[in-house]
Amino acid sequence: MQPANLLLLILVLALVAYGLGYSRSRSLAMPMGGIRHLKSLPFYYGARAALWCGIPALIVLGLWAAFQGKVIQLMVVGSLPPEMVPSGAGEASLMLSKISNVASGALPAGFVEPPIAAAAERLTALRAESRLFMSALVISVAVLAGFLGWLRIRPRLNARSQVESILKWLFFSSAALAILTTMGIIFSVAFETIRFFGKVPFTEFFFGTQWSPQTALRADQVAAEGAFGMIPLFTGTLLISAIAMVVAVPVGLLSAIYLSEYANRNVRGVVKPLLEMLAGIPTVVYGFFAALTVAPFISDLAASLGIEASSQTALAAGGVMGIMIIPFVSSLSDDVINAVPQTLRDGSLALGATQSETMKKVIFPAALPGIMGGVLLAVSRAIGETMIVVMAAGLAANLTANPLETVTTVTVQIVTLLTGDQEFDSAKTLAAFALGAMLFLATLLLNVIALKIVRKYREQYD
């Protein structure tokens, strides 16, 4: 049985345990000849039985799923003849990949050595046995734990306290998992970044003005020495993001002000959904629009004015990206402006201020933190965009501030470096992690600066 089917089965068993626990608590509350008071509501007794049934089974399922792959791989590799046992991690990975392809049918067994074909058959058999044992163990644990939980139901049992304690630990575990995942990402990126700086000088990466990460992967391979200067990439990222913000922030903010303060209900009911529809359009569609419509238009317009422009420009990518992130600014700003207390509007108007003065002097300062949050979200969206840049701005890492030239961004280069079969010991591949670390630090610095701006200009109201 597949893990997804086991999850559904655990859910069904937990619901059965809930029903049995609920009915048992009701029967204990009304015994023959009188009424007995329960320590908790019947709902908590049923929930306790369901938790007893589900949590141990989920723990067993998670542990089995986490370790079965590694155990099966070790058993399969151990079954190979001594002369075919891989000596390193890279050879083991390639060997297991070939065995898995034969087992899945992607590679015919006649095209590989007989020991590989036998290992593929063993892999298939071990996977089937593992699923069988896993299903039997998980079901047994769920039934046994649920039965024990049902059996321990007593009228004086404080089921509510136990259920709330278990749920509190589950919520804490979820929060801790999110934090640990974030820390794991940070440490993994930091570790690979340190490895990268062991191969490329620190000064070259931070102060170099050339980006051409084409290095030799083997000692006998002929290739360029490679250049790993990050300045052209961050220049292109900032240029495209700045163009996008020039388009998105004024249009999004002004549309939010109009919809929240000036538009009537009918206009708002039509315009707001149309604006929010822009957020649902796939980025590849925006990329096609930028590459096939906007970029040729900009190129032809520049040629008619006697200005030299590339067929792929930062202006085309940034402009279309700005259109894409207008809903982020508009929707969030509109919600924040509408959340300003009506008493502030009424007080300002009662003192003789006009509607525009009320907007500038009262509503906008009160909504500034939320508006800054929307702008930050839009900036993060622009910095992390890849598809539009690839299709409309190109891949050339040019150090320029001219929006009519081809540029590239950090995210595009990260995707390019990690595409295909790569050696994770080469500076070329490790450069992706260094770029990711620098992008993370830049985004963090941007958020800190924005927070200081918000704290400085935010107005406090009682």
Side-chain angles (χ1 to χ4, degrees):
M1 187 177 294
Q2 297 295 332
N5 297 331
L6 278 177
L7 286 174
L8 292 177
L9 182 58
I10 292 172
L11 178 60
V12 172
L13 292 175
L15 292 176
V16 172
Y18 171 82
L20 294 175
Y22 185 90
S23 61
R24 178 174 173 80
S25 64
R26 293 293 297 270
S27 64
L28 291 175
M30 293 184 295
M32 296 295 295
I35 298 177
R36 185 182 300 165
H37 295 287
L38 296 175
K39 190 73 172 180
S40 304
L41 294 175
F43 163 79
Y44 290 103
Y45 291 97
R48 179 181 176 276
L51 291 174
W52 272 61
C53 174
I55 292 178
L58 289 175
I59 292 175
V60 172
L61 176 60
L63 292 175
W64 193 287
F67 292 104
Q68 72 166 349
K70 189 65 176 179
V71 173
I72 290 176
Q73 289 177 2
L74 292 175
M75 295 176 66
V76 170
V77 172
S79 67
L80 293 172
E83 64 273 8
M84 297 189 66
V85 174
S87 58
E91 294 182 6
S93 178
L94 292 174
M95 181 70 70
L96 290 171
S97 177
K98 182 185 294 186
I99 294 173
S100 298
N101 289 333
V102 175
S104 63
L107 182 64
F111 288 88
V112 297
E113 300 87 342
I116 299 295
E121 295 179 357
R122 180 169 175 76
L123 176 63
T124 303
L126 288 174
R127 285 176 175 175
E129 293 176 1
S130 174
R131 286 194 296 267
L132 179 61
F133 291 145
M134 178 178 64
S135 302
L137 181 60
V138 169
I139 294 173
S140 300
V141 169
V143 172
L144 180 60
F147 175 73
L148 291 176
W150 174 84
L151 197 62
R152 292 171 62 88
I153 293 177
R154 297 290 185 271
R156 294 287 89 191
L157 177 66
N158 193 349
R160 174 184 175 183
S161 176
Q162 294 188 14
V163 169
E164 290 180 349
S165 298
I166 294 174
L167 292 179
K168 185 185 299 183
W169 278 105
L170 287 177
F171 296 152
F172 173 78
S173 300
S174 300
L177 180 62
I179 295 174
L180 292 176
T181 301
T182 304
M183 293 178 61
I185 294 173
I186 293 174
F187 283 123
S188 63
V189 173
F191 176 75
E192 300 297 340
T193 302
I194 293 173
R195 292 181 59 196
F196 169 76
F197 286 122
K199 298 176 179 293
V200 176
F202 184 86
T203 54
E204 179 184 350
F205 181 73
F206 280 95
F207 303 107
T209 58
Q210 298 291 329
W211 177 262
S212 180
Q214 302 300 323
T215 59
L217 300 179
R218 301 184 307 272
D220 59 344
Q221 185 177 1
V222 178
E225 294 182 357
F228 295 91
M230 74 172 190
I231 292 180
L233 305 185
F234 276 89
T235 302
T237 301
L238 295 176
L239 178 61
I240 293 178
S241 299
I243 295 172
M245 289 300 101
V246 168
V247 175
V249 173
V251 176
L253 184 56
L254 293 177
S255 62
I257 293 173
Y258 170 74
L259 290 174
S260 60
E261 298 297 321
Y262 297 98
N264 58 49
R265 183 175 299 177
N266 294 331
V267 174
R268 177 182 172 84
V270 174
V271 176
K272 186 174 175 63
L274 290 177
L275 277 175
E276 293 178 347
M277 283 177 58
L278 294 175
I281 300 177
T283 56
V284 67
V285 176
Y286 282 109
F288 276 121
F289 175 67
L292 301 180
T293 304
V294 178
F297 172 76
I298 293 176
S299 180
D300 295 341
L301 180 62
S304 64
L305 297 176
I307 303 174
E308 184 178 356
S310 175
S311 59
Q312 293 178 313
T313 62
L315 183 60
V320 175
M321 191 185 300
I323 297 174
M324 180 188 69
I325 61 181
I326 284 175
F328 291 91
V329 179
S330 176
S331 181
L332 291 175
S333 300
D334 178 58
D335 294 338
V336 170
I337 292 173
N338 285 323
V340 174
Q342 184 64 32
T343 54
L344 295 180
R345 295 179 173 86
D346 296 339
S348 177
L349 295 174
L351 291 174
T354 62
Q355 190 173 7
S356 61
E357 291 173 338
T358 300
M359 183 66 216
K360 290 184 294 184
K361 302 294 184 180
V362 177
I363 299 175
F364 186 79
L368 180 61
I371 293 174
M372 288 296 297
V375 172
L376 279 177
L377 179 62
V379 172
S380 301
R381 185 71 177 86
I383 291 176
E385 177 55 38
T386 304
M387 185 60 67
I388 295 176
V389 180
V390 171
M391 302 181 69
L395 298 174
N398 295 322
L399 180 58
T400 178
N402 185 0
L404 298 180
E405 292 187 11
T406 299
V407 296
T408 189
T409 62
V410 175
T411 54
V412 171
Q413 289 300 314
I414 291 175
V415 172
T416 304
L417 293 173
L418 296 180
T419 300
D421 295 331
Q422 301 291 345
E423 289 286 343
F424 277 84
D425 289 334
S426 66
K428 176 182 177 181
T429 306
L430 294 175
F433 297 95
L435 291 175
M438 296 305 107
L439 190 62
F440 170 76
L441 293 176
T443 306
L444 180 63
L445 179 62
L446 180 65
N447 281 273
V448 171
I449 294 174
L451 183 60
K452 289 185 177 296
I453 294 174
V454 169
R455 288 179 176 175
K456 181 178 180 180
Y457 293 102
R458 180 173 52 193
E459 297 192 14
Q460 301 291 337
Y461 298 95
D462 295 329

